[in-house]
Amino acid sequence: QVQLVESGGGLVQPGGSLRLSCAASGSIFSINAMGWYRQAPGKERELVARITSGGTTTYADSVKGRFTISRDGVKRTVYLQMNSLKPEDTAVYYCNADILIAAWASDDYWGQGTQVTVSS
């Protein structure tokens, strides 16, 4: 069974920084793309950042220049460094990964979510 476990959320003042981590564990053959999504109250879940197995990154326009996504293939972990945080970044952040449990079988997995609150 595959699990994604997130950590690093919390309360931070505007202009501050946080680093989110998401570790994949379980019966994993390999991992394709990994990413971070967020959902604010009353809003739909949206893509924040995504990184492929080859290291290609994609960012939402609202976080470009402030957030950086990276991954450690050995540790099966994806990170999201969030700088210059704004109140509108407040949301539950979810880790997502496209994981192969066998060479021919991939599926989409989600973490449980971690709360990020930006407030003075």
Side-chain angles (χ1 to χ4, degrees), residues 78-91:
V78 63
Y79 306 95
L80 185 67
Q81 178 66 43
M82 304 185 293
N83 298 327
S84 303
L85 282 160
K86 304 175 181 180
E88 50 264 43
D89 294 317
T90 296

Side-chain angles (χ1 to χ4, degrees), residues 2-90:
V2 174
Q3 279 191 315
L4 297 179
V5 178
E6 300 131 336
S7 61
L11 173 65
V12 64
Q13 292 187 342
S17 298
L18 281 176
R19 188 192 194 207
L20 304 183
S21 300
C22 172
S25 63
S27 182
I28 296 172
F29 179 76
S30 67
I31 303 177
N32 291 329
M34 303 183 80
W36 291 92
Y37 289 71
R38 67 187 180 186
Q39 188 167 19
K43 294 187 176 181
E44 293 187 354
R45 190 173 297 189
E46 63 174 358
L47 174 69
V48 176
R50 184 175 179 271
I51 184 167
T52 68
S53 57
T56 300
T57 57
T58 303
Y59 294 94
D61 287 343
S62 60
V63 307
K64 282 180 180 177
R66 300 188 297 122
F67 291 10
T68 302
I69 189 170
S70 61
R71 64 189 284 175
D72 183 325
V74 173
K75 295 182 179 178
R76 293 175 172 173
T77 299
V78 63
Y79 306 95
L80 185 67
Q81 178 66 43
M82 304 185 293
N83 298 327
S84 303
L85 282 160
K86 304 175 181 180
E88 50 264 43
D89 294 317
T90 296

Side-chain angles (χ1 to χ4, degrees), residues 95-112:
C95 176
N96 170 265
D98 178 20
I99 294 175
L100 283 82
I101 58 173
W104 59 89
S106 70
D107 206 348
D108 209 32
Y109 293 86
W110 292 89
Q112 79 284 359

